[in-house]
Amino acid sequence: MVREHFTQKMTEVKQKVVEMGALVDHIIEIAVTSSQTQNLDLAKSVSDKDDEIDELELEIEKECIMLLALQQPLAKDLRTITSVLKIITDLERMGDNAVNIANITLEIGKEPIINSITDIPKMAEIGRKMLKMSIDAFVNQDIVLAEKAAERDEEVDSLYETVINDILNIITEKRELTKQGTKLMFLGRYLERIADHSTNICERTIYMISGELKEIN
């Protein structure tokens, strides 16, 4: 009976992690869309969405602590609980990065965006795919999928390097674009960090399944 209760609670916790992942994906989508369209009202809405993510993180964290305190988790159960605690931290930080992206959008305002920066949307697209893959790997306990998702981090890193080089070339020729160029470099950095956090989720998922904690890439 105790074991059945624990299993049911863990199922509920995992479902909330999925819910949190969906919220994070949504907030990233809103932040990136607001940046690309310079929709300032949309950018302003990101902080409110982030509050929902923070609340869900606390809720999941409390439930994990209760499971540790009141149940008798086995070794794999302990790995699952500790992995969940790490994963929700990464998800919360991804939400924070989305807020940072929205804030940059608000700072740039309606100023015409540097047209030649085409790799930032690509970074966002891959980052969101990595997030979805990492959550699917977590839910389905799929090591192969987790590894595939993490491997895409190299693509994001490569695109980020290109973004930096492109912006540096632009502001070298047009000094008046230095301020905006600097903000766009930070925006690229936040997208790069989102991909890093997805990689962390993949690593924790692999640990949860196999008991082996290793860095990917």
Side-chain angles (χ1 to χ4, degrees):
M1 188 67 178
V2 173
R3 185 65 193 170
E4 290 179 3
H5 177 72
F6 178 85
T7 301
Q8 177 61 34
K9 284 296 182 183
M10 276 309 310
T11 299
E12 293 172 5
V13 166
K14 288 180 180 179
Q15 184 55 47
K16 287 182 179 179
V17 173
V18 174
E19 181 183 346
M20 189 175 176
L23 284 172
V24 171
D25 178 59
H26 183 53
I27 196 178
I28 294 170
E29 180 185 21
I30 292 174
V32 171
T33 299
S34 72
S35 174
Q36 292 172 350
T37 61
Q38 293 184 277
N39 185 328
L40 304 187
D41 288 334
L42 193 59
K44 290 174 184 176
S45 72
V46 171
S47 291
D48 291 336
K49 300 288 184 182
D50 187 51
D51 290 341
E52 295 178 37
I53 293 170
D54 293 342
E55 290 173 8
L56 189 53
E57 180 197 20
L58 289 175
E59 186 178 330
I60 295 170
E61 186 178 89
K62 287 178 182 178
E63 293 193 13
C64 285
I65 291 171
M66 289 293 289
L67 284 171
L68 288 171
L70 301 179
Q71 304 293 328
Q72 294 180 328
L74 304 175
K76 186 174 181 180
D77 298 327
L78 284 171
R79 291 203 308 270
T80 300
I81 293 171
T82 56
S83 294
V84 166
L85 289 170
K86 291 284 188 179
I87 287 169
I88 61 174
T89 298
D90 279 298
L91 288 172
E92 189 275 333
R93 289 174 181 171
M94 292 166 86
D96 289 344
N97 282 312
V99 172
N100 292 335
I101 291 170
N103 287 339
I104 286 178
T105 299
L106 294 172
E107 290 172 7
I108 292 175
K110 294 296 185 178
E111 179 183 337
I113 300 292
I114 298 171
N115 290 328
S116 58
I117 306 303
T118 59
D119 287 324
I120 286 178
K122 294 178 185 176
M123 291 178 67
E125 181 183 359
I126 296 172
R128 289 185 63 203
K129 285 181 179 177
M130 287 178 66
L131 170 58
K132 290 176 182 177
M133 291 171 71
S134 66
I135 294 298
D136 284 346
F138 166 76
V139 171
N140 297 313
Q141 298 195 44
D142 189 333
I143 289 178
V144 173
L145 183 60
E147 290 174 339
K148 286 181 178 178
E151 286 168 2
R152 301 211 66 182
D153 187 48
E154 292 184 1
E155 296 177 53
V156 177
D157 290 343
S158 178
L159 287 169
Y160 178 53
E161 185 176 347
T162 300
V163 166
I164 295 298
N165 290 334
D166 286 347
I167 293 175
L168 289 175
N169 288 334
I170 290 168
I171 64 179
T172 297
E173 296 178 3
K174 297 180 180 180
R175 297 289 183 181
E176 67 273 18
L177 295 176
T178 299
K179 186 175 181 180
Q180 184 189 125
T182 302
K183 294 182 186 301
L184 290 173
M185 282 193 280
F186 275 112
L187 194 154
R189 174 59 176 164
Y190 297 136
L191 289 171
E192 191 268 341
R193 288 299 298 148
I194 284 172
D196 286 345
H197 286 303
S198 289
T199 300
N200 291 345
I201 292 172
C202 292
E203 291 174 351
R204 296 307 306 190
T205 294
I206 292 171
Y207 169 72
M208 179 185 74
I209 299 166
S210 68
E212 184 179 0
L213 187 57
K214 65 176 182 178
E215 290 187 7
I216 304 174
N217 296 334

